[in-house]
Amino acid sequence: MTEQDLNEPSDSRYDVVVVGGGAAGLSAALVLGRARHRTLVVDAGEPRNAPSAHMQGYLSRDGMPPAEFLATGREEVARYGVELVRDRVTDVARGGDFTVTLERGGRARARRIVVATGLKDEMPDVPGVAERFGRDVLHCPFCHGWEVRDEPFGVLASSAAGVHQALMVSRWSKDVRFFLHRVAEEELADLDLRRLAAAGVDVVPGEVAGLVVEDDRLTGVRMADGTVHSRSVVFAAPRPVPRTGLLERLGAEMDRTPFGTYPVVDGNGLTSVPGVWAAGNAIGFSEQVVHAASGGYRAATAIVGDLRMADLDAALDG
Ligand SMILES: Cc1cc2nc3c(=O)[nH]c(=O)nc-3n(C[C@H](O)[C@H](O)[C@H](O)COP(=O)(O)OP(=O)(O)OC[C@H]3O[C@@H](n4cnc5c(N)ncnc54)[C@H](O)[C@@H]3O)c2cc1C
């Protein structure tokens, strides 16, 4: 389907504006459209898994290219009259209705809001790592482990917590080297060292200078002293940066975690701001596609109920 611009943005009043058209936002929109709610999805078009050629672990869609998954989702929601706009929401203001401001100048009003803006992965500043992300620099064994099983893995520590990643990925390969990079060996707990030994993970002290890439394939990890370790896959730990600026500006209660600051939500994604729900990676860094889709669905069913009761109560009062 073609993505359209708002025709008369300043006059548009929607039941719901969904900010973000990834798995979470589109799933919410599907439920809202099927419940006959006038719904607008505004999507900036930068889904988190865009660097990957394939999406794994979503039952019945295992291996589907992420772009195809989202294109199918957009087609499905459009069947129910949901409007989609390729733009970025720069502000959401509270009033009787919410007023949503778009980067290209449009505006829309909405009775309820779903924030499904995902997160951005900030890669460790080791040369080559960001460029190879989603190909042979990976972060998630559940997303990619099967595809690279039994290959020689490197794990790049960003902190002592990198031990967990090294231990986890050792399920998928017996040949794992854990590069301490800027982490001193003394920072690792005794139990961690014993677990690494039990898993057969080699601990490599010293700073990593960069990746060796030949013919567009990762072939090794180069240390600052010039040594090269032959590796075809490196697991790294990007810093998750949730796109929660809109929620913070709306005054939502936020929870600071070691993996980013996320809104406090109930089981359906309702934030502390009445009328504003959130879903997907906007509420937690570990939400996979199937969780994000599920979260969007839950938020939408809660909104349908909320709007229904609001309308009935207004009729009673009127
Ligand atoms: C390399 C990589 C590979 C992955 N592989 C897998 C896998 O195989 N299987 C799996 O289950 N999970 C995988 N994931 C995780 C997956 O990407 C997330 O679970 C999923 O993208 C979360 O969906 P979401 O809808 O919350 O966010 P996203 O998919 O990131 O979608 C958010 C959307 O909101 C838009 N947006 C943000 N801010 C605004 C704004 N202000 N206005 C308008 N639009 C906005 C963004 O541009 C984006 O299009 C992978 C992640 C990475 C990094």
Side-chain angles (χ1 to χ4, degrees):
M1 73 153 299
T2 54
E3 288 155 1
Q4 63 205 75
D5 288 325
L6 284 169
N7 293 325
E8 295 173 39
S10 52
D11 292 334
S12 299
R13 185 186 195 230
Y14 294 88
D15 291 328
V16 186
V17 169
V18 179
V19 189
L26 289 175
S27 180
L30 182 62
V31 175
L32 291 163
R34 286 173 51 76
R36 316 173 81 181
H37 280 300
R38 185 157 189 239
T39 303
L40 172 70
V41 178
V42 184
D43 182 37
E46 296 160 350
R48 186 181 174 204
N49 54 355
S52 278
H54 302 284
M55 175 189 86
Q56 310 291 159
Y58 192 117
L59 191 65
S60 85
R61 298 293 177 271
D62 188 47
M64 191 184 237
E68 189 183 329
F69 176 73
L70 294 180
T72 306
R74 286 194 292 270
E75 273 176 29
E76 287 176 357
V77 303
R79 280 182 219 151
Y80 300 99
V82 171
E83 294 171 47
L84 290 124
V85 175
R86 173 70 80 235
D87 207 333
R88 185 180 303 278
V89 172
T90 53
D91 193 32
V92 180
R94 273 206 264 186
D97 283 344
F98 294 94
T99 303
V100 177
T101 306
L102 310 189
E103 196 169 58
R104 287 194 275 148
R107 252 184 232 276
R109 284 179 298 131
R111 299 175 66 195
R112 303 290 183 270
I113 298 287
V114 178
V115 175
T117 43
L119 65 76
K120 193 172 165 335
D121 293 284
E122 213 173 79
M123 301 306 293
D125 68 341
V126 170
V129 165
E131 292 80 351
R132 307 294 307 173
F133 186 47
R135 302 173 67 193
D136 32 33
V137 172
L138 308 172
H139 74 303
C140 159
F142 297 101
C143 307
H144 312 283
W146 174 267
E147 284 64 40
V148 297
R149 64 194 182 281
D150 298 328
E151 291 192 34
F153 290 179
V155 177
L156 178 65
S158 291
S159 70
V163 170
H164 184 255
Q165 193 177 32
L167 293 173
M168 290 298 288
V169 304
S170 68
R171 230 208 100 68
W172 283 267
S173 173
K174 289 190 166 57
D175 181 1
V176 181
R177 289 190 197 158
F178 180 41
F179 296 97
L180 291 183
H181 189 40
R182 292 175 191 148
V183 176
E185 198 160 348
E186 302 76 65
E187 290 180 48
L188 304 188
D190 186 49
L191 177 61
D192 285 340
L193 288 168
R194 285 191 290 129
R195 281 180 172 161
L196 288 165
V201 174
D202 289 335
V203 177
V204 183
E207 189 160 338
V208 171
L211 302 182
V212 184
V213 177
E214 291 163 9
D215 296 329
D216 201 27
R217 283 183 53 238
L218 175 68
T219 58
V221 172
R222 178 177 289 112
M223 309 301 291
D225 67 5
T227 321
V228 171
H229 293 258
S230 171
R231 303 283 94 184
S232 59
V233 173
V234 165
F235 281 89
R239 190 172 77 88
V241 183
R243 295 197 191 95
T244 47
L246 296 172
L247 289 167
E248 290 186 43
R249 275 210 294 287
L250 279 164
E253 189 186 339
M254 306 296 286
D255 182 24
R256 190 182 292 267
T257 80
F259 306 102
T261 300
Y262 298 90
V264 175
V265 291
D266 76 359
N268 292 322
L270 177 63
T271 70
S272 62
V273 181
V276 179
W277 275 258
N281 277 149
I283 66 163
F285 84 103
S286 62
E287 299 281 295
Q288 297 286 81
V289 179
V290 73
H291 304 122
S294 162
Y297 197 115
R298 278 177 195 280
T301 56
I303 289 171
V304 173
D306 189 47
L307 286 173
R308 187 79 190 119
M309 298 314 146
D311 289 343
L312 291 172
D313 290 351
L316 287 176
D317 290 346

